[in-house]
Amino acid sequence: MVGNSLGKEFIVTTFGESHGKHVGVLIDGCPSGLSISEEDFQEELDQRIPTQTKIVSTRIEKDKAKILSGVFNGKTTGAPIAITVDNKEVNSIDYDQIKDVPRPSHSDYSARIRYGGFNDYRGGGRFSGRVTVAMILAGTIAKKLLCRCNIDVLAYTIAIGKIRSEKRFSVNEIRKNRNIAVTRCPDLVCNEKMEETIVAAKSAGDSVGGIIECVVLNMPKGIGDPLFDALDADLAKAIFGVSAVKGVEFGAGFASTEMLGSQNNDAFILKNKCVESVTNNAGGILGGISSGMPIIVRVAIKPTPSISMEQKTVNLSTMEETMLNVKGRHDPCIVPKAVPVIEAAVALTLVDHLIRAGYISKVIREGENIVGRSSDIT
Amino acid sequence: MVGNSLGKEFIVTTFGESHGKHVGVLIDGCPSGLSISEEDFQEELDQRIPTQTKIVSTRIEKDKAKILSGVFNGKTTGAPIAITVDNKEVNSIDYDQIKDVPRPSHSDYSARIRYGGFNDYRGGGRFSGRVTVAMILAGTIAKKLLCRCNIDVLAYTIAIGKIRSEKRFSVNEIRKNRNIAVTRCPDLVCNEKMEETIVAAKSAGDSVGGIIECVVLNMPKGIGDPLFDALDADLAKAIFGVSAVKGVEFGAGFASTEMLGSQNNDAFILKNKCVESVTNNAGGILGGISSGMPIIVRVAIKPTPSISMEQKTVNLSTMEETMLNVKGRHDPCIVPKAVPVIEAAVALTLVDHLIRAGYISKVIREGENIVGRSSDIT
Amino acid sequence: MVGNSLGKEFIVTTFGESHGKHVGVLIDGCPSGLSISEEDFQEELDQRIPTQTKIVSTRIEKDKAKILSGVFNGKTTGAPIAITVDNKEVNSIDYDQIKDVPRPSHSDYSARIRYGGFNDYRGGGRFSGRVTVAMILAGTIAKKLLCRCNIDVLAYTIAIGKIRSEKRFSVNEIRKNRNIAVTRCPDLVCNEKMEETIVAAKSAGDSVGGIIECVVLNMPKGIGDPLFDALDADLAKAIFGVSAVKGVEFGAGFASTEMLGSQNNDAFILKNKCVESVTNNAGGILGGISSGMPIIVRVAIKPTPSISMEQKTVNLSTMEETMLNVKGRHDPCIVPKAVPVIEAAVALTLVDHLIRAGYISKVIREGENIVGRSSDIT
Amino acid sequence: MVGNSLGKEFIVTTFGESHGKHVGVLIDGCPSGLSISEEDFQEELDQRIPTQTKIVSTRIEKDKAKILSGVFNGKTTGAPIAITVDNKEVNSIDYDQIKDVPRPSHSDYSARIRYGGFNDYRGGGRFSGRVTVAMILAGTIAKKLLCRCNIDVLAYTIAIGKIRSEKRFSVNEIRKNRNIAVTRCPDLVCNEKMEETIVAAKSAGDSVGGIIECVVLNMPKGIGDPLFDALDADLAKAIFGVSAVKGVEFGAGFASTEMLGSQNNDAFILKNKCVESVTNNAGGILGGISSGMPIIVRVAIKPTPSISMEQKTVNLSTMEETMLNVKGRHDPCIVPKAVPVIEAAVALTLVDHLIRAGYISKVIREGENIVGRSSDIT
């Protein structure tokens, strides 16, 4: 209600700050009977550790999830699940300079206004990318539930700065390549150019942004609550909950505005007696409801606002203009780290809608189909 | 909760279908004491009437708002406000063909799945553009409240098909020109080319889309509830609640992904002793909270899916592929009609957040400042 | 969110005032496929017409429901259902006296404070018993859904003033007798004494209150979302939404506080291989979750605050104490009229919880079992 | 949404189980700038430690609160506040017997059905009184906010079994006496008799219940969102969120049903130029909105269902009737322990409504009046 929760039936609330003791998440509405262990979170958390330090911040975060509640005998109980990760290696001194001197294009200034100056400004506090760990924790559970429904969610980088991959890959290729690629781009040729772009920005004390694409395969038809709880509306809301996001588009997105209706329309056909469409410019969502075609969403990530180049800003205690050199470790490009976060945002929204639709049962049993009655009438 | 409501403190729920008796809206949470009359809605409703029939559907909707509740002695009472508009000139026969034959890129197919075939399919029913009248009704009240706060919301067309206006205009020019321009584009030179594009599409039995921009001026600082109820997240959700929307971006948006951090960052400066930024690539929102700079959002509208060209689809009762010629009146371009709808979606979201922030009082008195205590600490 | 809505998945929002043009209700979340006609509401609405005028107000309200949206071909579509009833025979002059002179124990004073004096004070406006018609409209649909689940909800009077019926009756007897009895008390002997009590109060220009009991039979086990959305918590919230209610108790209720644990505990037994309890002091709810035993709730209704005897109050414009004779027609006892309202409040809450639990399907088909997968493990 | 949250703007979500590692609470929506330390919680937590062990369970819980997030430099930041208390001295063996053998009048049976048998049954798990520690943690913060508004919330025992105190006490007497009295009853004569009642029940292996009263003094007028978010409705919902509660009444409550309107009506008078009422049968709430008179609510607490006497129940794995002797430590009367929990439930609801009304600011500053603009028009 007041900002830190997502979802209506699978409700995820995050807590914690960059330089506090913990970041964590509380999940209310997870079906009972799902197998969960603290190890389940490790693979997802480890994705955030840079495979190659030349393009990312040298702050190494070895995170470990602790389950505080809601799991008994290795299974969810239906009660709220609280999970935390400790914050280690926190060096708050690096950030003391920003107390009164807001970093351009960070939330320092607007947060100070919003919270009357009582916000924890250290490292961006509540607005730090660090807090997205909480989304990854919740996303891990969401993806376990989607896996039981045979639904695949897959995010990957398609552009870094001006380098954009236009090549299409199979799910298996994406899955394999994005783990090899430092940039999480499955197009390994592009990946190398992207890496060069990031290294160049880093050398200049500058930063770059990029575009992340996320696809959802085997999405059941008929999911979404239009008009205002439309599936695309809720996906966009969850994704814009990540601070660095400046744009979201589905299917052909902004490109559809330059197409004719006859080019953009996705003709329906029969394939193995199922209704599909020849093209998928809609990105799998029609009128806010899933059509059964893959959901495709693309997300614009702005260049990291923390750069080591000198920038103009205002000292809010003296109310004088000043120059700022942001100290500390900065990622010259946060796109690779944002990939699992966008994937988590999508997974959380899907699970919430699937539970609301009655598609995922409230009680899950080993070896049983967890999928509720299909409302598919075709 | 289940799809048809928007907002948490200024809650707007729409009802009605394209070919039902009425479309309407119920607003819960409007402050008491605001002057409202049925005439207030007329100007907004009349904007939907085409000034020039060559580029739009010939269906003329003369709409008139009826207030059913919540207004007493010409002022809001604080009780829920129900407003309806009758549906006239409804010719359901035109749409009978689509009962079992979904129109490509419409919601006919996904809605049929979602509601088990019980949805009102006539004219798209609940998913018709007709239903956006309800948003305009609610938006009228929202804009009256924003006007009392001295906040300006202004939407206009910036692209139709491949014609894009890059020229910037003042608020006064936008306001004046968009009412002259059939396409609602303030760039009157572009407007003519856009018109030609639409006419060409219409002649070919085809359709075009476009891009709408919306700016918010005099937006107070510090409004927004991050992380998940971030102002941009909630704006995006409201805007994606309009079915034809395929993309939303703020400030530099997708273009920011090709910029360096040093180019994209908005340096803070002092202007008349107030903190502002030199550029506004953030589009007025930092970390989900308004920064005091103009909010800028751009919206991709897909080409109208209803075209008179023959299209491939599937007959769902016989489960055979078939060809479809969509009959009835179609707008070759819905972008001009969508302009006031996007403006309404933005206005509704802002009012909701301003009430939540305590910025708009719960009781409004004539001649009094309705603005609550500012949380601005600078 | 802001007061006028009930429920999370079956969301009921009421609108309208006593002396406005209409009272109405908007239901979002009703499953699609349920047969509904305007006639369905008539029987429920007619229950409010007094069978015997000597004990009730002589204002005869001939109400007729109009469905504005959400029903197509006689069945619900899944879209929001708006229903209104016109207000007729409204004589606002009777109530003009109360503009500045609040009636004791009415909401006139507190509502004036809450809404800054802009509330519609005529006849109590939004707080009038008249507005409960909206709950009866929604309750009619809720009871149709419960009927499809074979669940019975039955409210009736058990006390008027100091006359209390202690006799227990079968469901059939209750159903038959409460329609005969002017007081809606199934104990026909008590009914006569209650009637005398009401007539005596009326003659003295006074009023009386009473107690309504509501039972729910065939309630499925395992429904309720503890801790805070416990079934009893949500039932109590809905019931206290009726202004005249001053107390709510379940099962043995306040009497349980005088019992020993060994007397109050409901021992479990097997009956036809099903788990039941010997007694039902819990009133069918344990830990906020239905146990399968009948739900029993009792509701204290205060005496009608409108009495013709002279009362002390304060003139709020002159800020002087004054005496008030409330003019107009008053019910000397609103308990009989409140019976269907309490029944509606209970039915609405049950349907909301049953949909949330996945017990009622989102799509309903004629002749099909609408009941979802049971989570009953015994 | 799904059961474990309370409030709309001051949202309290509890987590943890009786025999898990922690119980905790997450608060979203607390204004920024409020001074909070871990010591603040200690006094409240210590209230739960029995002053005299003869009438209570011998399980001594030495609880200590840990703040995980949302507090920086000793003040709230506006970010979510997570607080936990460790569970110590947990002996799960005591409770193993209840896995398949539900204790009468506990939630064991209904919870098993609801969660498909995956619920943590140890010590009642999520339904244990232990979990109310989380409410006390949140209540501590709520009471700090109320204290800044000069609002007093005060709960105390008025009945244990058949012993009922009818004497009225001043706030100071209540505050002093309830801390001396083992039963938390300010009537010290009654307190002794109540103690005897509890001791007698304990000796017999039995238990007793009682009634708690809670008063709110200096409550501002005009708070409450009727109809369905009425102040009494939301207070009742929060209170029924405590499992042992079987009844809730306001003001004269059930007794009002036996009064005439002329006896029950609270005449308005002027006192020091303020509108008050002579009597307060309404309990401070008219039409769901606070009237400015003290709020008075009474709560029926059932006798502890855990008794050591042998009871009939059903073994759910063998589906045979069986006899059960509940082992472990039981409180023969939980009423004294429930007193601070009811106080917390009331405080949480008031703070939520005060924030929603704009009465409590979103930012709090030392020494400043935190109270927003009054809407009081008298």
Side-chain angles (χ1 to χ4, degrees):
Chain A
M1 299 281 180
V2 283
N4 298 287
S5 294
L6 197 65
K8 289 184 174 175
E9 290 288 322
F10 184 80
I11 306 170
V12 170
T13 311
T14 69
F15 58 92
E17 299 83 22
S18 179
H19 288 228
K21 287 183 223 155
H22 318 268
V23 293
V25 72
L26 184 60
I27 301 167
D28 197 8
C30 185
S32 60
L34 183 72
S35 295
I36 288 279
S37 74
E38 292 182 344
E39 289 65 44
D40 289 335
F41 303 97
Q42 208 56 51
E43 190 186 346
E44 298 284 336
L45 290 171
D46 290 349
Q47 268 199 44
R48 288 174 50 86
I49 300 179
T51 49
Q52 222 171 311
T53 54
K54 68 179 166 178
I55 65 161
V56 292
S57 149
T58 51
R59 170 175 174 176
I60 306 294
E61 297 152 345
K62 289 176 198 158
D63 289 324
K64 206 164 158 21
K66 279 186 221 170
I67 298 174
L68 304 193
S69 68
V71 177
F72 174 53
N73 289 336
K75 291 200 165 63
T76 56
T77 62
I81 305 168
I83 314 164
T84 56
V85 163
D86 292 345
N87 286 330
K88 294 168 194 164
E89 302 187 41
V90 169
N91 182 359
S92 302
I93 298 159
D94 282 355
Y95 291 96
D96 252 7
Q97 65 172 138
I98 66 170
K99 190 184 166 185
D100 293 318
V101 184
R103 295 166 298 174
S105 293
H106 267 284
S107 61
D108 302 343
Y109 177 65
S110 56
R112 181 182 168 119
I113 302 289
R114 170 71 177 77
Y115 298 106
F118 292 108
N119 57 304
D120 183 351
Y121 53 80
R122 298 170 302 166
R126 183 72 186 135
F127 298 85
S128 164
R130 174 69 186 156
V131 174
T132 59
V133 166
M135 288 185 75
I136 289 174
L137 295 173
T140 304
I141 295 181
K143 285 194 282 184
K144 289 200 86 170
L145 285 165
L146 292 175
C147 186
R148 290 291 299 266
C149 301
N150 207 25
I151 299 170
D152 264 319
V153 182
L154 210 52
Y156 43 87
T157 301
I158 61 166
I160 295 287
K162 291 179 180 173
I163 311 298
R164 179 156 183 164
S165 163
E166 302 288 355
K167 230 175 135 186
R168 304 281 80 193
F169 292 87
S170 73
V171 171
N172 286 340
E173 285 171 315
I174 292 171
R175 221 181 272 284
K176 197 184 70 188
N177 291 1
R178 72 165 178 174
N179 285 336
I180 301 166
V182 172
T183 64
R184 308 287 181 220
C185 176
D187 182 338
L188 297 180
V189 179
C190 269
N191 173 54
E192 275 190 44
K193 291 186 205 152
M194 290 172 173
E195 225 178 307
E196 287 163 21
T197 301
I198 299 173
V199 171
K202 188 180 167 67
S203 312
D206 215 329
S207 65
V208 285
I211 300 175
I212 294 168
E213 189 169 84
C214 186
V215 294
V216 183
L217 301 170
N218 294 322
M219 181 68 194
K221 299 171 179 185
I223 304 298
D225 280 334
L227 303 179
F228 297 122
D229 292 348
L231 193 55
D232 42 2
D234 276 349
L235 284 166
K237 179 177 166 76
I239 291 167
F240 273 113
V242 182
S243 288
V245 173
K246 297 309 286 181
V248 169
E249 61 176 15
F250 293 87
F254 277 89
S256 73
T257 68
E258 302 196 7
M259 294 160 83
L260 292 167
S262 57
Q263 295 167 322
N264 185 62
N265 280 2
D266 301 313
F268 289 114
I269 50 161
L270 283 175
K271 210 163 171 178
N272 303 322
K273 296 190 179 168
C274 281
V275 177
E276 292 195 8
S277 63
V278 180
T279 50
N280 186 18
N281 290 318
I285 299 175
L286 286 171
I289 302 170
S290 64
S291 69
M293 294 297 289
I295 293 175
I296 300 170
V297 58
R298 269 180 305 281
V299 182
I301 306 285
K302 72 177 181 183
T304 324
S306 288
I307 56 178
S308 42
M309 293 166 79
E310 196 176 58
Q311 297 178 86
K312 193 180 245 182
T313 182
V314 171
N315 183 316
L316 297 174
S317 71
T318 62
M319 281 307 274
E320 287 173 344
E321 292 187 358
T322 183
M323 297 306 289
L324 174 76
N325 286 75
V326 184
K327 283 168 200 147
R329 297 156 302 192
H330 317 303
D331 276 332
C333 181
I334 57 165
V335 176
K337 268 192 176 178
V339 165
V341 179
I342 298 303
E343 197 171 285
V346 170
L348 295 174
T349 306
L350 294 182
V351 164
D352 185 45
H353 269 275
L354 289 163
I355 292 177
R356 281 153 64 180
Y359 191 87
I360 294 181
S361 305
K362 301 253 166 173
V363 177
I364 292 176
R365 292 200 173 79
E366 214 69 46
E368 270 183 30
N369 190 352
I370 74 161
V371 174
R373 281 157 302 149
S374 171
S375 56
D376 196 329
I377 60 159
T378 60
Chain B
M1 296 282 179
V2 283
N4 297 288
S5 294
L6 197 66
K8 288 183 176 177
E9 290 288 322
F10 184 81
I11 306 169
V12 171
T13 312
T14 70
F15 57 92
E17 299 83 22
S18 178
H19 288 226
K21 286 184 225 154
H22 318 268
V23 293
V25 71
L26 184 59
I27 301 167
D28 198 8
C30 184
S32 60
L34 182 72
S35 295
I36 288 279
S37 73
E38 293 182 346
E39 288 65 45
D40 289 335
F41 302 97
Q42 207 56 51
E43 191 186 345
E44 298 284 336
L45 290 172
D46 289 350
Q47 269 198 46
R48 288 172 52 86
I49 300 179
T51 50
Q52 225 171 308
T53 54
K54 68 179 168 178
I55 66 162
V56 291
S57 147
T58 49
R59 170 174 174 177
I60 306 296
E61 296 152 346
K62 289 176 199 157
D63 289 325
K64 208 164 156 22
K66 279 186 221 169
I67 299 174
L68 304 194
S69 68
V71 177
F72 175 51
N73 289 336
K75 291 200 165 62
T76 56
T77 61
I81 304 168
I83 314 165
T84 56
V85 162
D86 292 345
N87 286 329
K88 294 168 194 161
E89 302 187 39
V90 169
N91 181 358
S92 301
I93 298 160
D94 282 355
Y95 292 97
D96 252 7
Q97 65 172 139
I98 65 170
K99 190 185 167 185
D100 293 318
V101 183
R103 295 167 296 174
S105 293
H106 267 284
S107 62
D108 301 344
Y109 177 64
S110 57
R112 182 183 167 120
I113 302 291
R114 170 72 177 75
Y115 298 105
F118 292 108
N119 58 305
D120 183 351
Y121 52 81
R122 297 169 303 165
R126 184 71 189 137
F127 297 85
S128 164
R130 175 69 187 158
V131 174
T132 59
V133 167
M135 290 186 73
I136 288 175
L137 295 173
T140 303
I141 294 181
K143 285 194 283 184
K144 288 200 87 171
L145 285 164
L146 293 175
C147 186
R148 288 292 298 266
C149 301
N150 208 25
I151 299 170
D152 264 320
V153 182
L154 211 52
Y156 44 87
T157 301
I158 60 167
I160 295 286
K162 291 179 180 173
I163 311 299
R164 181 159 183 161
S165 164
E166 301 289 354
K167 231 175 134 185
R168 303 280 81 192
F169 293 87
S170 73
V171 170
N172 286 340
E173 286 170 316
I174 293 171
R175 221 181 273 284
K176 196 184 71 187
N177 291 0
R178 72 164 177 173
N179 285 337
I180 301 166
V182 172
T183 63
R184 309 285 181 222
C185 175
D187 182 338
L188 297 181
V189 179
C190 270
N191 173 54
E192 277 191 40
K193 290 186 205 153
M194 290 172 173
E195 227 180 305
E196 287 162 20
T197 301
I198 299 173
V199 172
K202 188 180 167 66
S203 311
D206 214 328
S207 65
V208 285
I211 300 175
I212 293 169
E213 188 169 85
C214 186
V215 295
V216 183
L217 302 170
N218 294 321
M219 182 68 194
K221 300 172 178 185
I223 305 298
D225 280 334
L227 302 178
F228 297 123
D229 293 346
L231 193 54
D232 42 2
D234 276 348
L235 284 166
K237 179 178 166 76
I239 292 167
F240 273 113
V242 182
S243 289
V245 172
K246 296 309 287 183
V248 169
E249 61 176 16
F250 293 87
F254 277 89
S256 74
T257 68
E258 300 197 10
M259 294 160 83
L260 292 168
S262 57
Q263 295 166 321
N264 185 61
N265 280 4
D266 301 313
F268 289 114
I269 50 162
L270 283 174
K271 210 163 171 179
N272 302 323
K273 296 190 178 166
C274 281
V275 177
E276 292 196 7
S277 64
V278 180
T279 49
N280 186 19
N281 291 318
I285 300 174
L286 287 171
I289 302 171
S290 64
S291 68
M293 295 296 289
I295 293 175
I296 299 169
V297 58
R298 268 179 306 281
V299 182
I301 307 285
K302 71 177 181 184
T304 324
S306 289
I307 56 177
S308 42
M309 293 166 79
E310 197 176 57
Q311 295 178 86
K312 193 180 244 183
T313 181
V314 171
N315 183 315
L316 297 174
S317 72
T318 63
M319 282 307 275
E320 287 173 343
E321 293 187 358
T322 182
M323 297 306 288
L324 174 75
N325 286 74
V326 183
K327 285 167 199 146
R329 296 156 302 190
H330 317 303
D331 275 331
C333 181
I334 56 164
V335 177
K337 269 192 175 177
V339 165
V341 179
I342 298 303
E343 196 171 286
V346 170
L348 295 173
T349 305
L350 294 181
V351 165
D352 185 45
H353 269 275
L354 290 163
I355 292 177
R356 281 152 64 178
Y359 191 86
I360 294 182
S361 305
K362 301 254 166 171
V363 178
I364 291 177
R365 292 201 173 77
E366 214 68 47
E368 270 183 30
N369 191 352
I370 73 161
V371 173
R373 280 155 302 149
S374 171
S375 57
D376 195 329
I377 60 159
T378 61
Chain C
M1 297 282 179
V2 283
N4 297 288
S5 294
L6 197 65
K8 289 183 174 175
E9 290 288 323
F10 185 81
I11 306 169
V12 170
T13 312
T14 70
F15 56 93
E17 299 84 21
S18 178
H19 288 227
K21 287 185 223 153
H22 318 267
V23 294
V25 71
L26 184 58
I27 301 168
D28 198 7
C30 185
S32 60
L34 182 72
S35 295
I36 287 279
S37 73
E38 292 182 346
E39 288 65 45
D40 289 335
F41 303 97
Q42 207 56 50
E43 191 187 345
E44 298 284 335
L45 290 172
D46 289 349
Q47 269 198 43
R48 288 173 51 87
I49 300 180
T51 50
Q52 223 171 310
T53 54
K54 68 179 165 177
I55 66 161
V56 292
S57 148
T58 49
R59 169 174 174 178
I60 306 296
E61 297 153 344
K62 289 175 197 156
D63 289 325
K64 206 164 159 21
K66 278 186 221 168
I67 298 174
L68 305 194
S69 68
V71 177
F72 175 52
N73 290 336
K75 291 200 165 63
T76 56
T77 61
I81 305 168
I83 314 165
T84 55
V85 162
D86 293 345
N87 285 331
K88 294 168 194 163
E89 301 187 40
V90 169
N91 181 359
S92 300
I93 297 160
D94 282 354
Y95 292 96
D96 252 7
Q97 65 173 137
I98 65 170
K99 190 184 167 185
D100 293 318
V101 183
R103 295 166 297 174
S105 293
H106 267 285
S107 61
D108 301 344
Y109 177 64
S110 57
R112 182 182 167 119
I113 301 291
R114 170 72 177 78
Y115 298 105
F118 293 108
N119 58 305
D120 183 350
Y121 53 81
R122 297 169 303 165
R126 184 72 187 136
F127 297 85
S128 165
R130 174 70 187 158
V131 173
T132 59
V133 166
M135 290 185 73
I136 289 175
L137 295 173
T140 303
I141 295 181
K143 285 193 283 185
K144 288 200 88 170
L145 285 164
L146 293 176
C147 186
R148 290 292 298 266
C149 301
N150 207 26
I151 299 170
D152 264 319
V153 183
L154 211 52
Y156 44 88
T157 301
I158 61 166
I160 295 286
K162 292 180 180 173
I163 311 299
R164 181 158 182 163
S165 164
E166 301 290 355
K167 231 175 134 185
R168 304 280 81 192
F169 293 88
S170 73
V171 171
N172 286 340
E173 286 170 316
I174 293 171
R175 221 182 272 284
K176 195 184 71 188
N177 291 359
R178 72 164 178 173
N179 284 337
I180 301 166
V182 173
T183 63
R184 310 287 180 220
C185 176
D187 182 337
L188 297 180
V189 178
C190 269
N191 174 54
E192 276 190 41
K193 290 187 207 155
M194 289 172 173
E195 226 179 306
E196 287 162 21
T197 301
I198 299 173
V199 171
K202 188 180 168 68
S203 309
D206 215 330
S207 65
V208 285
I211 301 175
I212 293 168
E213 189 169 84
C214 186
V215 295
V216 183
L217 302 171
N218 294 322
M219 181 69 194
K221 299 171 180 187
I223 305 297
D225 279 334
L227 303 180
F228 296 123
D229 293 345
L231 193 54
D232 41 2
D234 276 349
L235 285 167
K237 179 177 164 77
I239 291 167
F240 273 114
V242 181
S243 289
V245 172
K246 297 309 287 182
V248 168
E249 61 176 15
F250 293 87
F254 277 89
S256 74
T257 67
E258 301 197 9
M259 294 160 84
L260 292 168
S262 57
Q263 295 166 321
N264 184 62
N265 281 3
D266 301 314
F268 289 114
I269 51 162
L270 283 175
K271 210 162 170 178
N272 303 323
K273 295 189 178 169
C274 281
V275 177
E276 292 196 8
S277 63
V278 180
T279 49
N280 186 19
N281 290 317
I285 300 174
L286 287 172
I289 302 170
S290 64
S291 68
M293 294 297 288
I295 293 175
I296 300 170
V297 58
R298 268 180 306 281
V299 182
I301 306 285
K302 71 176 181 185
T304 323
S306 289
I307 55 176
S308 42
M309 292 166 79
E310 197 177 57
Q311 295 178 87
K312 194 181 243 183
T313 183
V314 171
N315 182 316
L316 297 173
S317 72
T318 63
M319 281 308 273
E320 287 173 344
E321 292 186 359
T322 182
M323 298 306 289
L324 174 74
N325 286 74
V326 182
K327 284 168 200 145
R329 297 156 301 191
H330 317 303
D331 275 331
C333 181
I334 57 164
V335 176
K337 269 192 175 176
V339 164
V341 179
I342 298 303
E343 196 171 285
V346 170
L348 295 173
T349 306
L350 294 181
V351 165
D352 185 45
H353 269 275
L354 289 164
I355 292 177
R356 280 152 65 179
Y359 191 87
I360 294 182
S361 306
K362 301 254 166 173
V363 177
I364 291 177
R365 291 198 174 80
E366 214 69 45
E368 271 184 29
N369 190 352
I370 74 162
V371 174
R373 282 155 302 150
S374 171
S375 57
D376 195 331
I377 60 161
T378 60
Chain D
M1 299 283 179
V2 282
N4 298 287
S5 294
L6 197 64
K8 289 184 173 175
E9 290 288 322
F10 185 82
I11 306 170
V12 170
T13 312
T14 70
F15 57 92
E17 299 83 21
S18 178
H19 288 227
K21 288 184 222 153
H22 318 268
V23 293
V25 71
L26 184 60
I27 301 168
D28 197 8
C30 185
S32 60
L34 182 73
S35 295
I36 288 279
S37 74
E38 291 182 346
E39 289 66 44
D40 289 335
F41 302 97
Q42 208 56 52
E43 190 187 345
E44 298 283 336
L45 290 171
D46 290 350
Q47 269 199 46
R48 288 173 51 87
I49 300 179
T51 50
Q52 225 173 305
T53 55
K54 68 178 165 178
I55 65 162
V56 293
S57 148
T58 51
R59 170 174 174 176
I60 306 295
E61 297 153 345
K62 289 176 198 157
D63 289 325
K64 208 167 156 19
K66 278 186 221 170
I67 298 174
L68 304 194
S69 68
V71 177
F72 175 52
N73 290 336
K75 292 201 165 61
T76 56
T77 62
I81 305 168
I83 314 164
T84 56
V85 163
D86 293 346
N87 287 329
K88 295 168 192 162
E89 302 187 40
V90 169
N91 182 358
S92 301
I93 298 159
D94 283 353
Y95 292 96
D96 252 7
Q97 64 172 138
I98 65 170
K99 190 184 168 186
D100 293 318
V101 184
R103 295 166 297 174
S105 293
H106 267 285
S107 62
D108 301 344
Y109 176 64
S110 56
R112 182 182 167 120
I113 302 290
R114 170 71 178 77
Y115 298 106
F118 292 108
N119 57 304
D120 183 350
Y121 54 81
R122 298 169 302 165
R126 183 72 188 136
F127 297 84
S128 164
R130 174 70 186 157
V131 173
T132 60
V133 166
M135 289 185 75
I136 288 174
L137 295 172
T140 303
I141 294 181
K143 285 194 283 185
K144 288 201 86 170
L145 285 165
L146 293 176
C147 185
R148 290 292 298 266
C149 301
N150 207 25
I151 299 170
D152 264 319
V153 183
L154 211 52
Y156 43 88
T157 301
I158 60 165
I160 295 287
K162 291 179 181 174
I163 311 298
R164 181 157 183 163
S165 164
E166 301 289 355
K167 231 175 132 186
R168 304 281 80 193
F169 292 87
S170 73
V171 171
N172 286 340
E173 285 171 316
I174 292 170
R175 222 181 272 284
K176 197 183 69 187
N177 291 0
R178 71 165 180 174
N179 286 336
I180 300 166
V182 172
T183 63
R184 308 287 180 220
C185 176
D187 182 339
L188 297 180
V189 178
C190 269
N191 173 54
E192 276 190 42
K193 290 186 205 154
M194 290 171 173
E195 226 179 305
E196 286 162 21
T197 301
I198 299 172
V199 171
K202 188 180 167 68
S203 311
D206 214 328
S207 66
V208 285
I211 300 175
I212 293 168
E213 190 170 84
C214 186
V215 294
V216 183
L217 301 170
N218 294 321
M219 181 68 194
K221 300 171 179 184
I223 305 298
D225 280 334
L227 303 179
F228 297 123
D229 292 347
L231 192 54
D232 42 2
D234 276 349
L235 284 166
K237 179 177 166 76
I239 292 167
F240 273 113
V242 182
S243 288
V245 172
K246 297 308 286 183
V248 168
E249 61 176 15
F250 293 87
F254 277 90
S256 74
T257 68
E258 301 197 8
M259 295 160 84
L260 292 168
S262 57
Q263 295 167 321
N264 185 62
N265 280 4
D266 301 314
F268 289 114
I269 51 162
L270 284 174
K271 210 164 170 179
N272 303 322
K273 295 188 179 168
C274 281
V275 177
E276 293 196 7
S277 64
V278 180
T279 50
N280 186 19
N281 290 318
I285 300 174
L286 287 172
I289 302 170
S290 64
S291 69
M293 295 297 289
I295 293 175
I296 300 170
V297 58
R298 269 180 307 281
V299 182
I301 307 285
K302 71 177 181 184
T304 324
S306 289
I307 56 177
S308 42
M309 293 166 79
E310 197 176 57
Q311 297 177 86
K312 192 180 244 181
T313 182
V314 171
N315 183 316
L316 298 174
S317 71
T318 62
M319 282 307 275
E320 287 173 345
E321 292 187 0
T322 182
M323 297 306 289
L324 174 75
N325 286 74
V326 184
K327 284 168 200 147
R329 298 155 302 191
H330 317 303
D331 276 331
C333 180
I334 57 165
V335 177
K337 268 192 176 176
V339 164
V341 178
I342 299 302
E343 196 170 286
V346 170
L348 295 173
T349 306
L350 294 181
V351 164
D352 184 45
H353 269 274
L354 289 163
I355 292 177
R356 281 152 63 179
Y359 191 88
I360 294 181
S361 305
K362 301 254 166 171
V363 177
I364 292 176
R365 291 199 174 80
E366 214 69 46
E368 270 184 30
N369 190 352
I370 73 162
V371 174
R373 281 156 302 149
S374 170
S375 56
D376 195 328
I377 59 160
T378 62

